mmCIF file of all heavy atoms in Angstrom:
data_model
loop_
_atom_site.group_PDB
_atom_site.id
_atom_site.type_symbol
_atom_site.label_atom_id
_atom_site.label_comp_id
_atom_site.label_asym_id
_atom_site.label_seq_id
_atom_site.Cartn_x
_atom_site.Cartn_y
_atom_site.Cartn_z
ATOM 1 N N GLU A 254 29.018 45.218 -83.234
ATOM 2 C CA GLU A 254 29.297 45.203 -84.649
ATOM 3 C C GLU A 254 29.195 43.827 -85.270
ATOM 4 O O GLU A 254 28.909 43.671 -86.451
ATOM 5 C CB GLU A 254 30.728 45.745 -84.905
ATOM 6 C CG GLU A 254 30.885 47.237 -84.610
ATOM 7 C CD GLU A 254 31.009 47.496 -83.115
ATOM 8 O OE1 GLU A 254 31.167 46.507 -82.388
ATOM 9 O OE2 GLU A 254 30.963 48.663 -82.710
ATOM 10 N N ARG A 255 29.422 42.786 -84.481
ATOM 11 C CA ARG A 255 29.351 41.413 -84.998
ATOM 12 C C ARG A 255 27.971 40.782 -84.861
ATOM 13 O O ARG A 255 27.777 39.597 -85.131
ATOM 14 C CB ARG A 255 30.372 40.553 -84.257
ATOM 15 C CG ARG A 255 31.821 41.047 -84.466
ATOM 16 C CD ARG A 255 32.774 40.093 -83.764
ATOM 17 N NE ARG A 255 34.156 40.584 -83.931
ATOM 18 C CZ ARG A 255 35.208 39.963 -83.396
ATOM 19 N NH1 ARG A 255 35.010 38.863 -82.656
ATOM 20 N NH2 ARG A 255 36.418 40.429 -83.623
ATOM 21 N N GLY A 256 27.020 41.591 -84.402
ATOM 22 C CA GLY A 256 25.674 41.054 -84.280
ATOM 23 C C GLY A 256 25.407 40.323 -82.973
ATOM 24 O O GLY A 256 24.365 39.703 -82.830
ATOM 25 N N GLN A 257 26.371 40.368 -82.008
ATOM 26 C CA GLN A 257 26.197 39.684 -80.746
ATOM 27 C C GLN A 257 25.572 40.628 -79.718
ATOM 28 O O GLN A 257 25.865 41.822 -79.731
ATOM 29 C CB GLN A 257 27.551 39.139 -80.241
ATOM 30 C CG GLN A 257 28.192 38.149 -81.172
ATOM 31 C CD GLN A 257 29.565 37.734 -80.667
ATOM 32 O OE1 GLN A 257 30.068 38.356 -79.760
ATOM 33 N NE2 GLN A 257 30.128 36.730 -81.294
ATOM 34 N N THR A 258 24.741 40.082 -78.871
ATOM 35 C CA THR A 258 24.099 40.875 -77.866
ATOM 36 C C THR A 258 25.034 41.082 -76.695
ATOM 37 O O THR A 258 25.592 40.123 -76.128
ATOM 38 C CB THR A 258 22.813 40.171 -77.357
ATOM 39 O OG1 THR A 258 21.963 39.948 -78.479
ATOM 40 C CG2 THR A 258 22.088 41.028 -76.332
ATOM 41 N N THR A 259 25.243 42.330 -76.288
ATOM 42 C CA THR A 259 26.146 42.662 -75.161
ATOM 43 C C THR A 259 25.368 43.513 -74.179
ATOM 44 O O THR A 259 24.432 44.216 -74.528
ATOM 45 C CB THR A 259 27.367 43.436 -75.681
ATOM 46 O OG1 THR A 259 26.921 44.638 -76.329
ATOM 47 C CG2 THR A 259 28.163 42.615 -76.667
ATOM 48 N N THR A 260 25.794 43.435 -72.929
ATOM 49 C CA THR A 260 25.260 44.248 -71.857
ATOM 50 C C THR A 260 26.291 45.214 -71.368
ATOM 51 O O THR A 260 27.433 45.220 -71.831
ATOM 52 C CB THR A 260 24.796 43.358 -70.677
ATOM 53 O OG1 THR A 260 25.896 42.670 -70.181
ATOM 54 C CG2 THR A 260 23.718 42.372 -71.143
ATOM 55 N N LEU A 261 25.898 46.080 -70.404
ATOM 56 C CA LEU A 261 26.831 47.055 -69.859
ATOM 57 C C LEU A 261 28.014 46.381 -69.170
ATOM 58 O O LEU A 261 29.135 46.832 -69.273
ATOM 59 C CB LEU A 261 26.095 47.967 -68.861
ATOM 60 C CG LEU A 261 26.929 49.020 -68.150
ATOM 61 C CD1 LEU A 261 27.577 49.954 -69.158
ATOM 62 C CD2 LEU A 261 26.082 49.796 -67.173
ATOM 63 N N GLU A 262 27.739 45.260 -68.478
ATOM 64 C CA GLU A 262 28.844 44.579 -67.797
ATOM 65 C C GLU A 262 29.822 43.985 -68.773
ATOM 66 O O GLU A 262 31.034 44.049 -68.579
ATOM 67 C CB GLU A 262 28.270 43.489 -66.883
ATOM 68 C CG GLU A 262 29.327 42.760 -66.085
ATOM 69 C CD GLU A 262 28.685 41.730 -65.155
ATOM 70 O OE1 GLU A 262 27.472 41.593 -65.200
ATOM 71 O OE2 GLU A 262 29.468 41.101 -64.407
ATOM 72 N N ASP A 263 29.304 43.441 -69.925
ATOM 73 C CA ASP A 263 30.206 42.879 -70.941
ATOM 74 C C ASP A 263 31.074 43.973 -71.561
ATOM 75 O O ASP A 263 32.270 43.793 -71.787
ATOM 76 C CB ASP A 263 29.392 42.189 -72.021
ATOM 77 C CG ASP A 263 28.617 41.011 -71.465
ATOM 78 O OD1 ASP A 263 29.080 40.445 -70.461
ATOM 79 O OD2 ASP A 263 27.597 40.661 -72.051
ATOM 80 N N ARG A 264 30.470 45.149 -71.819
ATOM 81 C CA ARG A 264 31.250 46.227 -72.409
ATOM 82 C C ARG A 264 32.282 46.759 -71.438
ATOM 83 O O ARG A 264 33.348 47.228 -71.798
ATOM 84 C CB ARG A 264 30.295 47.342 -72.835
ATOM 85 C CG ARG A 264 29.366 46.929 -73.975
ATOM 86 C CD ARG A 264 28.686 48.131 -74.567
ATOM 87 N NE ARG A 264 27.835 48.823 -73.606
ATOM 88 C CZ ARG A 264 26.573 48.520 -73.398
ATOM 89 N NH1 ARG A 264 26.006 47.509 -74.027
ATOM 90 N NH2 ARG A 264 25.876 49.186 -72.532
ATOM 91 N N THR A 265 31.931 46.712 -70.109
ATOM 92 C CA THR A 265 32.894 47.162 -69.128
ATOM 93 C C THR A 265 34.123 46.242 -69.093
ATOM 94 O O THR A 265 35.256 46.691 -69.030
ATOM 95 C CB THR A 265 32.246 47.188 -67.750
ATOM 96 O OG1 THR A 265 31.100 48.036 -67.814
ATOM 97 C CG2 THR A 265 33.201 47.712 -66.699
ATOM 98 N N LEU A 266 33.884 44.927 -69.114
ATOM 99 C CA LEU A 266 35.002 43.978 -69.093
ATOM 100 C C LEU A 266 35.836 44.053 -70.388
ATOM 101 O O LEU A 266 37.054 43.961 -70.365
ATOM 102 C CB LEU A 266 34.457 42.558 -68.908
ATOM 103 C CG LEU A 266 33.813 42.294 -67.531
ATOM 104 C CD1 LEU A 266 33.240 40.871 -67.511
ATOM 105 C CD2 LEU A 266 34.820 42.468 -66.428
ATOM 106 N N SER A 267 35.162 44.221 -71.559
ATOM 107 C CA SER A 267 35.902 44.249 -72.799
ATOM 108 C C SER A 267 36.728 45.512 -72.956
ATOM 109 O O SER A 267 37.687 45.572 -73.724
ATOM 110 C CB SER A 267 34.921 44.137 -73.964
ATOM 111 O OG SER A 267 34.061 45.262 -73.982
ATOM 112 N N SER A 268 36.388 46.590 -72.220
ATOM 113 C CA SER A 268 37.147 47.830 -72.342
ATOM 114 C C SER A 268 38.465 47.768 -71.621
ATOM 115 O O SER A 268 39.335 48.633 -71.789
ATOM 116 C CB SER A 268 36.329 49.002 -71.790
ATOM 117 O OG SER A 268 36.054 48.804 -70.438
ATOM 118 N N ARG A 269 38.662 46.790 -70.765
ATOM 119 C CA ARG A 269 39.913 46.684 -70.015
ATOM 120 C C ARG A 269 40.913 45.810 -70.782
ATOM 121 O O ARG A 269 40.545 44.876 -71.452
ATOM 122 C CB ARG A 269 39.660 46.060 -68.627
ATOM 123 C CG ARG A 269 38.721 46.912 -67.794
ATOM 124 C CD ARG A 269 38.528 46.270 -66.411
ATOM 125 N NE ARG A 269 37.662 47.072 -65.589
ATOM 126 C CZ ARG A 269 37.298 46.717 -64.358
ATOM 127 N NH1 ARG A 269 37.742 45.579 -63.835
ATOM 128 N NH2 ARG A 269 36.491 47.502 -63.661
ATOM 129 N N ASP A 270 42.192 46.157 -70.652
ATOM 130 C CA ASP A 270 43.243 45.351 -71.312
ATOM 131 C C ASP A 270 43.503 44.108 -70.525
ATOM 132 O O ASP A 270 43.469 44.092 -69.293
ATOM 133 C CB ASP A 270 44.533 46.184 -71.424
ATOM 134 C CG ASP A 270 44.345 47.388 -72.330
ATOM 135 O OD1 ASP A 270 43.467 47.312 -73.229
ATOM 136 O OD2 ASP A 270 45.039 48.360 -72.147
ATOM 137 N N GLY A 271 43.831 43.028 -71.219
ATOM 138 C CA GLY A 271 44.179 41.780 -70.533
ATOM 139 C C GLY A 271 42.942 40.985 -70.203
ATOM 140 O O GLY A 271 41.787 41.415 -70.425
ATOM 141 N N PRO A 272 43.136 39.810 -69.603
ATOM 142 C CA PRO A 272 42.018 38.960 -69.242
ATOM 143 C C PRO A 272 41.206 39.570 -68.118
ATOM 144 O O PRO A 272 41.711 40.330 -67.307
ATOM 145 C CB PRO A 272 42.698 37.664 -68.793
ATOM 146 C CG PRO A 272 44.078 38.081 -68.365
ATOM 147 C CD PRO A 272 44.458 39.227 -69.273
ATOM 148 N N SER A 273 39.945 39.229 -68.125
ATOM 149 C CA SER A 273 39.041 39.796 -67.118
ATOM 150 C C SER A 273 39.324 39.180 -65.763
ATOM 151 O O SER A 273 39.642 37.995 -65.638
ATOM 152 C CB SER A 273 37.593 39.491 -67.517
ATOM 153 O OG SER A 273 37.365 38.096 -67.576
ATOM 154 N N GLU A 274 39.225 40.028 -64.730
ATOM 155 C CA GLU A 274 39.458 39.627 -63.360
ATOM 156 C C GLU A 274 38.160 39.825 -62.578
ATOM 157 O O GLU A 274 37.332 40.671 -62.909
ATOM 158 C CB GLU A 274 40.587 40.417 -62.743
ATOM 159 C CG GLU A 274 41.938 40.193 -63.442
ATOM 160 C CD GLU A 274 43.029 41.028 -62.828
ATOM 161 O OE1 GLU A 274 42.722 41.821 -61.919
ATOM 162 O OE2 GLU A 274 44.178 40.887 -63.259
ATOM 163 N N PRO A 275 37.990 39.097 -61.488
ATOM 164 C CA PRO A 275 36.793 39.310 -60.676
ATOM 165 C C PRO A 275 36.766 40.724 -60.102
ATOM 166 O O PRO A 275 37.781 41.220 -59.619
ATOM 167 C CB PRO A 275 36.889 38.253 -59.569
ATOM 168 C CG PRO A 275 38.358 37.854 -59.540
ATOM 169 C CD PRO A 275 38.839 38.015 -60.946
ATOM 170 N N LYS A 276 35.611 41.382 -60.192
ATOM 171 C CA LYS A 276 35.499 42.767 -59.786
ATOM 172 C C LYS A 276 35.204 42.840 -58.285
ATOM 173 O O LYS A 276 34.550 41.995 -57.719
ATOM 174 C CB LYS A 276 34.349 43.456 -60.529
ATOM 175 C CG LYS A 276 34.562 43.478 -62.048
ATOM 176 C CD LYS A 276 33.462 44.274 -62.703
ATOM 177 C CE LYS A 276 32.112 43.612 -62.448
ATOM 178 N NZ LYS A 276 31.021 44.351 -63.069
#
Side-chain angles (χ1 to χ4, degrees):
E254 291 79 10
R255 299 182 180 179
Q257 298 176 350
T258 303
T259 59
T260 61
L261 178 59
E262 183 177 1
D263 297 334
R264 295 193 297 273
T265 303
L266 293 176
S267 63
S268 63
R269 298 180 180 179
D270 296 333
S273 61
E274 297 178 357
K276 300 184 298 180

